[in-house]
DNA sequence: CTGCTAATTGACGTTAGCGTTAAGTGGTTG
DNA sequence: CAACCACTTAACGCTAACGTCAATTAGCAG
């Protein structure tokens, strides 16, 4: 099913506007094919946008997201060892930051649970 | 140690600029005491700013952060049951979103680990 | 008093991430 | 053919979250 999608189909499916999708292309986050002047999107493009949206949920800027998508895209085989080492260090830094975020979330969930139980005890009392 | 801090001491300790701290006050996220015209910050103010920064790391806007700090601050006892129920639903919604974020992070960590092991295998080969 | 340092308010500048016209192109439908 | 889509580019607009600069004030050192 190598379905190709128009921009409006895609925007509907993903819950973003066509403007947003074009904007991401402007920012070099996408490079869809063209049929004449019209853009057509593959399942890969769709997956990329999902990646972008996930990155945004996690609080990354589009610039950061592009950086890390370049990591995913990186064609490792032709790379020099130095470049790979560098890539590796970036990946590890990023992973560390993400683990930090998980901790942040854990703490916040804890605090929210505290509020929740306070609320419940008060409501139950009445 | 009820140490009171000047704005520049505080900004140094927290790694943000004084401008940022004043900006947060403008946005009603802080209400430090004054000595004359000068602001002085307590450990509570410091804790609030840390909360703000954590919120930002998690991708919340300052408006959202203010909302949720109001939740933490909320004095539950004098509240009506309806208000508490409402508060409760907000808290639960927020917690759900945070759990979703944790999943996002897990997936990203998985992908990063994939890249990492690829890198390592290539580097080791040479 | 002079000069320096740290603080203040106010105003304008900047970047990111889109929203919103405007103006035109190309394909189908009746 | 006209009318109506869905699509295009280009350009301006807008909000959030500060940065930056200017003008001013207060405290202390020499």
């Amino acid at each position: 099913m190598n379905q190709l999608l128009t921009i409006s189909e895609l925007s509907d499916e993903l819950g973003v506007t066509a403007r947003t999708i074009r904007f991401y292309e402007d920012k070099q986050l996408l490079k869809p094919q063209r049929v004449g002047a019209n853009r057509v999107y593959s399942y890969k493009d769709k997956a990329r946008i999902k990646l972008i949206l996930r990155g945004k949920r996690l609080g990354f800027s589009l610039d950061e997201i592009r950086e890390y998508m370049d990591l995913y895209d990186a064609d490792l085989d032709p790379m020099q060892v130095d470049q790979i080492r560098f890539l590796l260090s970036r990946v590890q830094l990023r992973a560390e930051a993400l683990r930090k975020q998980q901790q942040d979330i854990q703490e916040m969930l804890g605090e929210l649970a505290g509020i929740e139980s306070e609320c419940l005890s008060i409501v139950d009392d009445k």
Side-chain angles (χ1 to χ4, degrees), chain A:
Chain A
M1 288 276 177
N2 260 339
Q3 263 283 50
L4 292 179
L5 303 172
T6 73
I7 195 166
S8 48
E9 288 166 347
L10 191 57
S11 69
D12 281 359
E13 290 190 24
L14 295 179
V16 300
T17 69
R19 171 70 176 104
T20 298
I21 297 179
R22 292 193 197 100
F23 180 73
Y24 291 162
E25 184 177 348
D26 243 54
K27 293 291 166 174
Q28 323 273 6
L29 291 165
L30 300 171
K31 286 163 202 161
Q33 300 171 23
R34 299 276 185 151
V35 171
N38 291 18
R39 296 165 173 85
V40 279
Y41 297 89
S42 67
Y43 73 100
K44 286 191 180 181
D45 294 317
K46 188 172 170 182
R48 275 184 90 84
I49 298 184
K50 285 187 181 179
L51 276 179
I52 297 172
L53 297 178
R54 190 177 67 190
K56 292 207 56 185
R57 283 200 301 276
L58 295 176
F60 297 116
S61 73
L62 294 185
D63 275 9
E64 291 172 317
I65 293 173
R66 192 172 38 67
E67 264 203 66
Y68 298 112
M69 297 216 326
D70 291 349
L71 297 189
Y72 296 125
D73 291 349
D75 190 6
L76 296 178
D77 292 351
M79 290 183 77
Q80 306 300 328
V81 177
D82 302 9
Q83 297 175 36
I84 294 190
R85 279 194 210 288
F86 177 71
L87 177 60
L88 189 55
S89 68
R90 306 277 315 190
V91 168
Q92 287 167 343
L93 270 180
R94 179 48 41 183
E96 215 176 311
L98 286 175
R99 279 188 278 271
K100 167 79 165 152
Q101 261 204 357
Q102 283 192 316
Q103 279 188 25
D104 285 342
I105 293 180
Q106 272 307 329
E107 289 175 31
M108 245 183 129
L109 281 175
E111 291 168 26
L112 288 176
I115 298 181
E116 183 173 0
S117 61
E118 270 193 76
C119 285
L120 287 174
S121 72
I122 293 184
V123 171
D124 290 351
D125 269 14
K126 308 212 171 176

